[in-house]
Amino acid sequence: MYDVIVIGAGPCGCTTASTLSKNGLKVLLLEKCKLPRYKSCSGVLIEKSLRLIEKYFGQSVPLSVSCTPVQNRGMVFTDDLGREYIFESRGLNIWRDKFDYWLTTLAKQFGVEIKDESAVSSIQEIDDKVCVSVDGIKEFAKFVVDCSGVVGIGKQAHKNVITYQTYNNGTIDLDAYYFYAYLQPELSGYDAWFNVKDDMLVLGVASTNAKDIKKFYSNFIAYMRSKHALSISKELRTDKWLIRNIQPPFNVDYGVSYILKAGENAGFLNPMGEGISSAIESGYCVACAIISNFNNRQNVIEDYKRNVSETKDYMQRQWQLVGRMSKKFAFMYR
């Protein structure tokens, strides 16, 4: 019997579990993959994420989880008319598997019990506790927090965006210290992007329709060749993943009763797939709600909503900013 079971050992799950354990609760953190787990991600920690990690974990992100160029200087957006917008901001270029694993080591130091290769098949309330089925074994807790990302536990009602990216040897006429996002409709059904990790050129596209991915990727490569002198000598590997398709009015699924949700699974995701900052914030907020209402459990959802309201407002403002920049996302600014 645990006080809280947290599902998913990403930034959201590790923040939730660490905060709870530091406050004296007995916490089990479950991860379906073997740790360290591979994660398809652009792998840039924005300045906000760096500050949150220092605040909630009491440590700075170590250089051992980074890749070159280590420092990210900001983001460059190209709107659907080809106009560039440069946002200067301090950031850190990381590998997600190393970063997430570092967070799990901190969680363990804070007293969290961690079980990897533990796939959750179901969650259900039984009387005054919650039962989590893990590979045929039942674990029990007073609360469960699902931080398992876009996939979640059980059937999901929301739609997702498919991402496809490649890692390549080659050259390009762009500054490796920036992350580039492209919103032109002919290049993607969502966005396209470029950044550099350990001298590899990372190029990706996203769409709500899997059938369009190959067409968009081909268009994007042709665009980068003509616009930025892209030359690929060898494709090293490919990634495919899903991200949440955020839609107005930016509804968030906080969970029901004693089964709560946080991070992308709850619906927190900033533009261009930046989900780490909102994952950390929502994980901390849900943990604080549980701590404050551990013996008053009927109040936990409402307290969580209040705690995380600023995170939700920030997300909405970010999407509305992109909506003003691009006709593709104009529906975000209604």
Side-chain angles (χ1 to χ4, degrees), residues 128-332:
D128 63 341
K129 54 186 177 292
V130 184
C131 176
V132 179
S133 296
V134 188
D135 299 325
I137 298 171
K138 296 185 184 302
E139 304 280 9
F140 294 89
K142 286 198 170 184
F143 293 95
V144 169
V145 185
D146 187 353
C147 306
S148 56
V150 66
V151 177
I153 306 300
K155 187 176 180 181
Q156 302 296 308
H158 58 78
K159 293 183 179 180
N160 297 318
V161 175
I162 301 99
T163 71
Y164 175 82
Q165 67 179 9
T166 63
Y167 292 79
N168 308 275
N169 287 336
T171 58
I172 194 169
D173 186 19
L174 284 173
D175 190 334
Y177 286 90
Y178 289 84
F179 181 89
Y180 297 83
Y182 301 87
L183 303 179
Q184 297 97 311
E186 67 272 16
L187 302 184
S188 75
Y190 192 78
D191 72 324
W193 61 90
F194 167 79
N195 66 328
V196 177
K197 305 186 85 64
D198 285 344
D199 296 324
M200 292 182 288
L201 309 183
V202 184
L203 297 127
V205 298
S207 177
T208 54
N209 191 339
K211 295 179 180 179
D212 294 332
I213 288 291
K214 288 186 177 180
K215 176 192 70 176
F216 283 135
Y217 182 75
S218 178
N219 291 349
F220 184 47
I221 295 299
Y223 171 84
M224 297 297 274
R225 283 173 175 158
S226 63
K227 185 75 173 178
H228 300 295
L230 169 67
S231 176
I232 295 176
S233 57
K234 184 179 181 181
E235 185 180 290
L236 301 172
R237 72 170 189 263
T238 62
D239 277 348
K240 294 180 181 179
W241 194 241
L242 299 172
I243 60 174
R244 186 75 173 261
N245 187 13
I246 302 298
Q247 298 285 312
F250 306 97
N251 291 324
V252 170
D253 183 358
Y254 301 95
V256 178
S257 189
Y258 313 138
I259 304 170
L260 300 104
K261 297 183 179 183
E264 194 174 353
N265 186 36
F268 291 106
L269 186 70
N270 298 316
M272 310 306 111
E274 193 288 302
I276 294 177
S277 64
S278 55
I280 295 170
E281 280 190 314
S282 61
Y284 179 77
C285 289
V286 73
C288 289
I290 291 172
I291 294 163
S292 298
N293 298 280
F294 191 75
N295 295 315
N296 256 326
R297 292 195 292 167
Q298 68 274 12
N299 298 329
V300 69
I301 294 283
E302 289 304 314
D303 202 17
Y304 175 30
K305 288 180 181 179
R306 287 191 294 270
N307 291 348
V308 82
S309 61
E310 289 186 13
T311 303
K312 182 183 177 185
D313 290 345
Y314 174 85
M315 175 181 71
Q316 185 167 340
R317 291 195 304 271
Q318 292 298 302
W319 279 108
Q320 290 175 343
L321 173 63
V322 173
R324 291 195 295 268
M325 289 168 46
S326 169
K327 291 181 180 179
K328 181 190 290 187
F329 289 101
F331 65 93
M332 292 290 191

Side-chain angles (χ1 to χ4, degrees), residues 59-75:
Q59 296 190 34
S60 298
V61 180
L63 292 180
S64 59
V65 308
S66 67
C67 53
T68 57
V70 174
Q71 298 299 323
N72 177 266
R73 294 175 182 165
M75 302 183 72

Side-chain angles (χ1 to χ4, degrees), residues 75-88:
M75 302 183 72
V76 180
F77 286 84
T78 301
D79 70 9
D80 40 13
L81 298 177
R83 297 170 298 196
E84 283 191 354
Y85 300 82
I86 301 174
F87 298 90
E88 302 280 353

